[in-house]
Structure formats: C-alpha cells, structure tokens
Amino acid sequence: ILKNEPLYSGKAKSIYEIDDEKVLIEFRDDITAGDGEKHDIKKGKGHLNALISSKLFELLEENGVPTQFMEYVEPIYMVAKNVEIILIEVIVRNITAGSLCRRYPFEEGKELTTPIVQFDYKDDDYGDPMLNEDIAIALNLATEEELKELKELALIVNEILKKFFDEKGIILVDFKIEIGRTKDGKLVVADEISPDTMRLWDKETKDVLDKDVYRKDMGDVVGKYEVVAKRIGCI
Ligand code: C5P
C-alpha cells in the first residue's frame, strides 16, 4: 500500500492518489458528530466500514448501478476510480428521522408514503444547507440534467438497498450518497455507503445499528456496526 500525502483528508476517510485513473480510499477509525464538535477514535470501525461499503458497492454494481468502486483491499481500503465529486449530498428518506424531524413537524419513525430525496450543499463552513434546484444550478454544482439523473440514481439505489436490508431483517430508514463524475462525464455512485452514512434499525426490535448510537451516546457503536457486517455476510 502506497502512502504518499493524501489528496484529501476528511473527518473519517483519507484519499490517496494511485495513478491518474485510480485512488485509494482509507477508512479511518475516527468518528465525528455535530459537524466535528464531537470526535473519537473507535477501534475497528474503519475496517467494518470498508467491508460494508465494499459489499454495498458490489451489490449496486450487480444491479447495474455504476459506482466508483473497484476493489476492497484489506483491512481498511477501497481502490476506486478517480472521479470528481459533485458537492451535493444526496439524501434519501424512507422513514422520518434526524434533521427532518428537527426542522419540520414530522413525528419520528413514521413511514413516508413516497421516499424523500433531498439535496444538501456539501460545505462544512455553511453547515451543509439544503439546496433547491435553482441554487444548485446557480452555484454551478450540477446541470439541470445531472440533477434529474442524481434523483433517479438515488431512488434506484434506495430500492436496491431497501430490499437487500429488508431481507437481512434491517430497515433502511435513510441514507446519504455522493455522486462522482468520471473523466468522460458519466455519473457514478461514489465515496462510501456505511452505517456512518445510513440509518439502520433492526426490523424486529427497532434497535439502532448506525452512527446515531454515537451521536446520541447509546452505547457500543462498533458493536452495532459489527451486527450489520454479520447480517449482510461481510464477516
Ligand atoms: O442528519 P440527517 O437526518 O439529515 O441525515 C440523513 C441521513 O444522511 C443519515 O443517514 C445520515 O447519516 C446521513 N448523512 C451523512 N452525512 C451528512 C449528513 C447526513 O451521511 N453530512
């Protein structure tokens, strides 16, 4: 594994250049909440997220969704295509939770009749504010056609993941994906898909199996990620 200076180092991942075409994504044990005001190191989290992300990207590829993913490299890495990340966090919600219930009069834990797709501006300085189409276009984040494609892609990803988790006894409450542009302008699902970026509840017990365990101090977060990894057959 080559370790030059990272191209980019975020709150929980670092990205290294392999060559013009490829990057190495490192899943660190760092965990943060509340825009980084809460930070801890949770041993083993990086490994589990690398495993879970790789598995879910493979699942998407098998279902015909283009992704940035190329291969998993033990223990905490993913080799991925070098893409330009669109600065929009694409959020899909099936059940009301999180910021939706903080900002709007939704009661938590209610199933939405139609999934909500939400675009947030990926910018910590501005606190990831929600976008509408006009603002996204005016900021040059994406074209009108791309925004349409982003929403379609997000809903397809939702259907695939929702069904997959349902079969494993897990409810996919909501999740965030990022989208990358390849050199030839194709849109691919990028970054990570892990319990850091999804809300997952046990179907029977409604036990929380995602980063909310850390956000809300509900106990052993790595233990919950391990449950997810086991249920979906990563370990
Ligand atoms: O906080 P909120 O309810 O808007 O989050 C919706 C979903 O998107 C959650 O699954 C959360 O983990 C994910 N998310 C994320 N990164 C962000 C914001 C939200 O992964 N910056």
Side-chain angles (χ1 to χ4, degrees):
I1 298 291
L2 69 171
K3 276 285 183 77
N4 311 316
E5 280 299 295
L7 283 178
Y8 167 84
S9 203
K11 284 178 279 208
K13 295 191 305 298
S14 300
I15 317 282
Y16 300 88
E17 186 182 54
I18 297 175
D19 57 38
D20 236 27
E21 307 292 316
K22 287 183 278 183
V23 293
L24 186 75
I25 302 178
E26 176 184 40
F27 290 77
R28 306 196 315 268
D29 283 340
D30 299 76
I31 190 164
T32 66
D35 251 342
E37 52 191 58
K38 195 171 160 189
H39 172 246
D40 284 279
I41 307 283
K42 297 286 177 186
K43 206 165 175 297
K45 193 208 73 154
H47 175 56
L48 291 167
N49 277 1
L51 278 172
I52 294 167
S53 267
S54 298
K55 173 92 181 185
L56 296 178
F57 279 125
E58 278 166 8
L59 174 77
L60 294 181
E61 290 279 349
E62 283 162 19
N63 283 276
V65 175
T67 77
Q68 180 190 19
F69 177 78
M70 295 176 77
E71 66 173 316
Y72 168 65
V73 178
E74 279 193 351
I76 55 166
Y77 303 101
M78 253 170 37
V79 177
K81 287 162 210 151
N82 194 358
V83 298
E84 180 196 357
I85 297 289
I86 294 179
L87 296 179
I88 298 177
E89 306 203 320
V90 183
I91 294 168
V92 184
R93 304 175 187 275
N94 296 306
I95 310 264
T96 58
S99 69
L100 189 72
C101 300
R102 283 200 305 275
R103 292 176 180 161
Y104 305 94
F106 284 107
E107 204 186 317
E108 186 168 292
K110 295 284 175 238
E111 192 167 343
L112 294 156
T113 41
T114 318
I116 292 175
V117 179
Q118 176 188 332
F119 294 155
D120 285 0
Y121 181 31
K122 190 174 150 65
D123 190 312
D124 286 343
D125 291 343
Y126 288 88
D128 297 341
M130 200 192 297
L131 294 163
N132 72 15
E133 214 180 309
D134 287 349
I135 297 174
I137 292 167
L139 282 171
N140 268 323
L141 302 179
T143 65
E144 196 177 341
E145 295 77 62
E146 283 179 329
L147 290 175
K148 215 172 275 158
E149 207 182 318
L150 247 56
K151 180 165 179 181
E152 282 165 13
L153 211 49
L155 288 171
I156 292 168
V157 169
N158 184 45
E159 286 311 310
I160 297 166
L161 294 181
K162 205 169 71 175
K163 177 165 175 285
F164 176 76
F165 279 112
D166 183 69
E167 287 164 2
K168 317 288 178 194
I170 293 174
I171 302 170
L172 177 62
V173 174
D174 58 30
F175 64 92
K176 183 258 322 185
I177 51 172
E178 295 187 17
I179 307 290
R181 267 189 214 101
T182 62
K183 291 206 174 67
D184 44 12
K186 224 176 71 172
L187 298 187
V188 299
V189 181
D191 193 54
E192 73 174 309
I193 311 176
S194 75
D196 273 7
T197 62
M198 297 181 279
R199 284 197 175 91
L200 302 170
W201 296 349
D202 184 284
K203 219 158 108 179
E204 298 299 316
T205 64
K206 302 285 169 352
D207 197 17
V208 174
L209 304 174
D210 58 67
K211 197 164 117 176
D212 273 349
V213 171
Y214 174 74
R215 292 188 188 103
K216 300 182 186 171
D217 291 313
M218 293 158 65
D220 172 22
V221 66
V222 177
K224 301 298 183 184
Y225 287 27
E226 214 169 82
V227 171
V228 174
K230 276 194 187 130
R231 289 262 193 104
I232 69 172
C234 294
I235 52 174

